[in-house]
Amino acid sequence: DRKLWIDDVAVHGSFSADTTPPIVDTLFPTGLSSIEIHFNESILANENFSLSWKGTPPAACKVSNRMITASFSESFPNRIQQSLTLSGLEDTDGNRMQDTVLNFILERAEFGDVIINEIMSDPAPVIYLPDCEYLELYNRYTESFSLNGWSLDVNGRTISLDEAEIAAGGYLLIIPGGYASYFRDIQAVEALPSATIFANAGGSIRLFDKHGLLVHIADYLSLELYDEGKADGGWSIENKTPGILCGGSAIWMISENWRGGTPGAKNDKLIEASDSDPPEFIFPGMEGDTMLCLNYNEYVFLPEAVSTLFSINDQHIPAFYRTTPEVTKTIQIPLSGQVATDFQFLSAVDSSSGL
């Protein structure tokens, strides 16, 4: 056997040690209370490492290769710059970063940024538009939204809106599969699971973002209650007052457009209106033995779950939230065996910001 032996090997050149600390490449929220921080090289978290937001460490934190993932017990405020404090972080050669303040902003849709603007629940007999149901969304905000992870709840049935985007001030049509060719000049997504998803007799539709937060709600009635002359079908109902974010079934009117509707375009007849009247308490009630129900004359807006709106016997108690935020005409208060001898509701806000 032949063997090759190499001896007295020398390598010549200029060699330099890594003396540069790691640098943050990007950071961005991945959820309502979670964030990712990406670096330009591999990092290590030793005993001196710390990360905090508002002086509070994360509930969970993981340092892996070139990334830190962290989640906090409290949600980040929306559209308000926040700061993380990072210290004691090193790369794999022991180069430590200087203590660093990292700024970020959570950007998510507020309630009413995107609204349900038009519904075709009964397309036949056809007036001019295609023979299919549709729902139109309208973006009232100044920036576009990716609808990845968003969903519709139609009378209790969940419909995913993945792979859709709606431009600032733009419209997006939600249609059944196989109908895109009928709406070639309109931004549309084939997301409806069937051609008959919206009840002709009326129903309730809710729009949720990827975090499961409520963005808009639409309740509507059957066509004959809006216009008996168009009750046979072929006409859409349009939101006549998009400035009133949740006026219930009263915000709708049957389209007056000659085609039967205005999919992907401004509604045919708009009314400039605003709601400056506060919600009016009508009557209390009980559901079972431990659920107090407060009934109002219009939808009441309750922000993310808080425990300071209601007081019984001088003790603050939270409302029952079916969605976050909660938009409802009936606020439910679980009493947990308490006797409501002295009930106080500190404030009520309707969904159009009437106090």
Side-chain angles (χ1 to χ4, degrees):
D1 293 339
R2 296 182 179 183
K3 297 182 179 180
L4 178 64
W5 297 87
I6 299 176
D7 198 4
D8 296 329
V9 176
V11 179
H12 301 277
S14 297
F15 303 94
S16 59
D18 178 8
T19 59
T20 304
I23 299 173
V24 174
D25 277 341
T26 58
L27 76 158
F28 49 88
T30 55
L32 296 176
S33 59
S34 58
I35 196 165
E36 284 187 4
I37 311 172
H38 294 258
F39 297 83
N40 67 329
E41 61 177 322
S42 296
I43 53 174
L44 293 174
N46 56 29
E47 65 275 7
N48 297 314
F49 166 76
S50 70
L51 177 69
S52 65
W53 170 54
K54 300 195 304 184
T56 303
C61 183
K62 181 180 180 181
V63 178
S64 176
N65 196 8
R66 297 186 177 192
M67 181 174 66
I68 295 175
T69 57
S71 59
F72 294 85
S73 56
E74 182 182 342
S75 295
F76 304 132
N78 192 30
R79 297 174 182 164
I80 300 175
Q81 180 172 288
Q82 301 296 303
S83 298
L84 292 174
T85 301
L86 177 64
S87 63
L89 190 70
E90 299 179 349
D91 65 14
T92 53
D93 290 306
N95 301 303
R96 178 178 293 188
M97 290 181 63
Q98 292 184 347
D99 292 355
T100 305
V101 175
L102 305 172
N103 297 323
F104 68 95
I105 296 178
L106 172 67
E107 274 279 353
R108 62 171 178 81
E110 295 277 2
F111 180 81
D113 279 349
V114 179
I115 64 172
I116 299 166
N117 198 50
E118 184 175 348
I119 304 168
M120 176 65 86
S121 63
D122 189 5
V126 168
I127 305 301
Y128 181 82
L129 295 172
D131 186 9
C132 76
E133 296 184 357
Y134 64 78
L135 179 142
E136 179 192 80
L137 300 179
Y138 170 54
N139 183 0
R140 302 172 65 247
Y141 192 53
T142 56
E143 302 288 340
S144 63
F145 288 107
S146 167
L147 303 190
N148 185 35
W150 288 40
S151 64
L152 288 169
D153 181 288
V154 181
N155 298 323
R157 185 173 182 178
T158 300
I159 299 171
S160 173
L161 299 181
D162 289 346
E163 301 180 4
E165 185 167 323
I166 185 168
Y171 303 89
L172 178 67
L173 211 60
I174 315 299
I175 59 176
Y179 283 88
S181 61
Y182 294 95
F183 299 97
R184 292 176 182 172
D185 299 326
I186 299 173
Q187 185 179 5
V189 58
E190 295 181 337
L192 298 183
S194 73
T196 55
I197 189 72
F198 304 117
N200 295 347
S204 180
I205 305 172
R206 284 163 170 74
L207 176 65
F208 294 92
D209 72 2
K210 66 179 180 180
H211 306 295
L213 299 179
L214 185 66
V215 178
H216 197 228
I217 177 175
D219 292 336
Y220 67 97
L221 306 175
S222 58
L223 295 183
E224 66 265 17
L225 296 177
Y226 296 108
D227 188 335
E228 290 185 1
K230 297 178 179 179
D232 289 341
W235 302 88
S236 73
I237 55 172
E238 298 178 344
N239 187 339
K240 61 184 178 182
T241 55
I244 296 180
L245 298 182
C246 193
S249 58
I251 65 172
W252 302 102
M253 65 176 294
I254 291 187
S255 178
E256 296 183 356
N257 190 276
W258 62 273
R259 300 181 303 160
T262 56
K266 185 177 180 180
N267 289 348
D268 204 48
K269 185 175 181 179
L270 295 177
I271 299 173
E272 292 294 333
S274 61
D275 180 5
S276 59
D277 296 325
E280 180 182 339
F281 177 69
I282 302 176
F283 62 90
M286 292 293 297
E287 184 176 304
D289 296 328
T290 58
M291 186 71 77
L292 175 64
C293 299
L294 307 178
N295 297 280
Y296 287 80
N297 68 326
E298 63 176 321
Y299 283 95
V300 174
F301 178 88
L302 300 181
E304 293 187 25
V306 292
S307 59
T308 56
L309 288 178
F310 307 95
S311 175
I312 293 181
N313 299 335
D314 295 325
Q315 293 185 353
H316 291 304
I317 57 172
F320 174 69
Y321 281 70
R322 287 154 293 195
T323 63
T324 302
E326 176 71 288
V327 180
T328 180
K329 288 184 177 180
T330 301
I331 300 175
Q332 294 182 315
I333 311 292
L335 301 181
S336 301
Q338 302 177 67
V339 179
T341 57
D342 183 17
F343 179 81
Q344 294 180 355
F345 185 11
L346 301 185
S347 64
V349 180
D350 68 22
S351 56
S352 299
S353 299
L355 298 178

